[in-house]
Amino acid sequence: MLFRSDPVSTRHPAIEYATRPVTDAVAVLNQRIAAGDVQLDFDAGPQGYLRSVLKALDVPVESQLLVFSETSLQSEFITPQSPRALYFNDTVSVGWVRGADALELAAWDPQQGIQFYVVDQKAAQRPHFARSQRCLECHEGNLTSGISGLLTMSMLPL
């Protein structure tokens, strides 16, 4: 096994995380929404787009995990009483927190690796999943060999 002590930059020509086109499931869903082929339903209750996004990405509700870690772009909403719910299939993860402003998504792109997205939890005619560079603050570094990646850690909730 080759071990690199110096992380590869996401700006490396082989990666170009922020500039190369992506073809992951969320990017494809974005294109289908923009073309008018798919419309997401917004639940005015606390779930917002959650159920509609899970259905559009073929992510089973039964895959739900509750994560008690306060690590997220929306950490102010995460507590042991209101954990972050993660839903997933083989290529997409969807993160939802009760009362939070957005859904967080991670999608595997065959050329670019893991791509991170957020979508506002506000009703819109054509919601847009925006790629998030902020996610890379945690999801890019020595633990992920310097490229975007997923992390699993064990932590004690406060």
Side-chain angles (χ1 to χ4, degrees):
M1 180 170 126
L2 178 64
F3 176 76
R4 290 184 55 92
S5 61
D6 57 324
V8 176
S9 169
T10 55
R11 293 178 300 282
H12 188 279
I15 300 169
E16 294 176 339
Y17 182 88
T19 57
R20 265 198 189 163
V22 288
T23 60
D24 60 77
V26 177
V28 171
L29 179 57
N30 254 345
Q31 293 169 352
R32 294 180 65 210
I33 292 169
D37 297 335
V38 172
Q39 185 170 353
L40 297 179
D41 296 323
F42 185 81
D43 175 5
Q47 292 185 338
Y49 284 115
L50 177 62
R51 293 227 181 232
S52 187
V53 167
L54 294 177
K55 183 177 178 183
L57 293 170
D58 197 27
V59 175
V61 172
E62 297 81 10
S63 67
Q64 181 190 59
L65 296 172
L66 296 179
V67 182
F68 296 96
S69 171
E70 296 175 359
T71 59
S72 163
L73 294 178
Q74 304 175 102
S75 60
E76 65 271 18
F77 297 101
I78 301 171
T79 68
Q81 294 75 32
S82 180
R84 182 182 191 194
L86 298 177
Y87 303 85
F88 62 95
N89 64 22
D90 289 343
T91 61
V92 179
S93 298
V94 178
W96 174 81
V97 183
R98 180 179 295 277
D101 299 333
L103 291 176
E104 301 169 315
L105 296 93
W108 178 76
D109 181 87
Q111 297 297 315
Q112 290 294 94
I114 300 295
Q115 300 296 306
F116 296 96
Y117 296 88
V118 294
V119 63
D120 288 336
Q121 284 279 59
K122 295 177 185 162
Q125 184 177 359
R126 290 193 174 145
H128 178 76
F129 297 83
R131 287 177 69 190
S132 174
Q133 295 292 320
R134 273 198 61 209
C135 297
L136 296 178
E137 291 174 14
C138 296
H139 289 278
E140 174 196 16
N142 289 332
L143 292 175
T144 61
S145 297
I147 57 174
S148 61
L150 300 177
L151 302 170
T152 302
M153 295 182 275
S154 181
M155 304 171 82
L156 294 173
L158 299 175

